[in-house]
Amino acid sequence: MMTEQRPAQGVTDALTGPAALGRLVRRALLAAVVSGALTILVAALVAGRGAAAGALVGTLLTCATLALGLPVLAWVTRVLPAMSLLVAMMTYLMQVVFLLAAYVVLQRSPEARDAVDGSWLGIAVIVTTVVCLIVQVTGFLKGRHPYFDVEPGEGTEGGSGRPEAGAR
């Protein structure tokens, strides 16, 4: 009985490649934008125009920052899979540092401080980040990620390429 051997390369990319990554980024950004819009609406109703401006700036900063993390991580995972955890941790750390630096710069500028409410900026950053991370984690947990890569010729009938047990 002959079975057609399917190519091993590309199997992983079909499950976790650019298309799957694009869907995850779109879902995460959509959830972040929706949560940011709700935060802006609540800020405008509760505290006025300056709070809404703060929530808008916080949402835009967070969406822009978090949108860059997944493509960087996907590229490193394709090139050096062993470094993916380290790069994921460092990418997240750098995103947090960037958001903190942007917050400090906005709060030290008198013009920005008058136009943008810092507390609502912080609230929007926190809400948007938490929602975006929840969507990313849920997407990765529900995604189809193979536990190992299949080498060409392995897993097919008679095509393992390895000697039988006991053969020398």
Side-chain angles (χ1 to χ4, degrees):
M1 174 166 147
M2 293 206 72
T3 59
E4 186 175 320
Q5 189 175 6
R6 49 174 222 205
Q9 188 168 5
V11 173
T12 303
D13 289 341
L15 301 176
T16 61
L21 175 69
R23 285 190 302 274
L24 183 60
V25 169
R26 284 192 301 274
R27 282 186 200 138
L29 285 179
L30 179 63
V33 167
V34 168
S35 69
L38 290 175
T39 305
I40 294 166
L41 180 66
V42 169
L45 293 175
V46 170
R49 187 175 183 173
L56 175 66
V57 170
T59 300
L60 292 176
L61 275 172
T62 307
C63 287
T65 303
L66 294 177
L68 298 175
L70 277 175
V72 168
L73 183 59
W75 178 78
V76 169
T77 302
R78 271 195 308 274
V79 175
L80 292 168
M83 297 295 289
S84 61
L85 182 60
L86 175 66
V87 171
M89 291 171 34
M90 291 306 296
T91 301
Y92 185 70
L93 176 67
M94 294 309 295
Q95 289 171 336
V96 170
V97 167
F98 173 76
L99 288 172
L100 180 62
Y103 179 80
V104 169
V105 166
L106 286 170
Q107 289 304 300
R108 288 194 177 170
S109 169
E111 296 84 20
R113 194 176 30 217
D114 292 339
V116 174
D117 185 1
S119 61
W120 280 99
L121 187 142
I123 289 169
V125 166
I126 291 169
V127 167
T128 307
T129 301
V130 167
V131 167
C132 192
L133 289 178
I134 287 172
V135 171
Q136 287 178 14
V137 168
T138 305
F140 277 120
L141 290 176
K142 288 184 177 182
R144 294 177 51 196
H145 303 283
Y147 293 115
F148 55 88
D149 284 332
V150 178
E151 295 295 325
E154 288 186 16
T156 60
E157 292 179 22
S160 68
R162 289 181 287 194
E164 293 296 322
R168 296 188 195 250

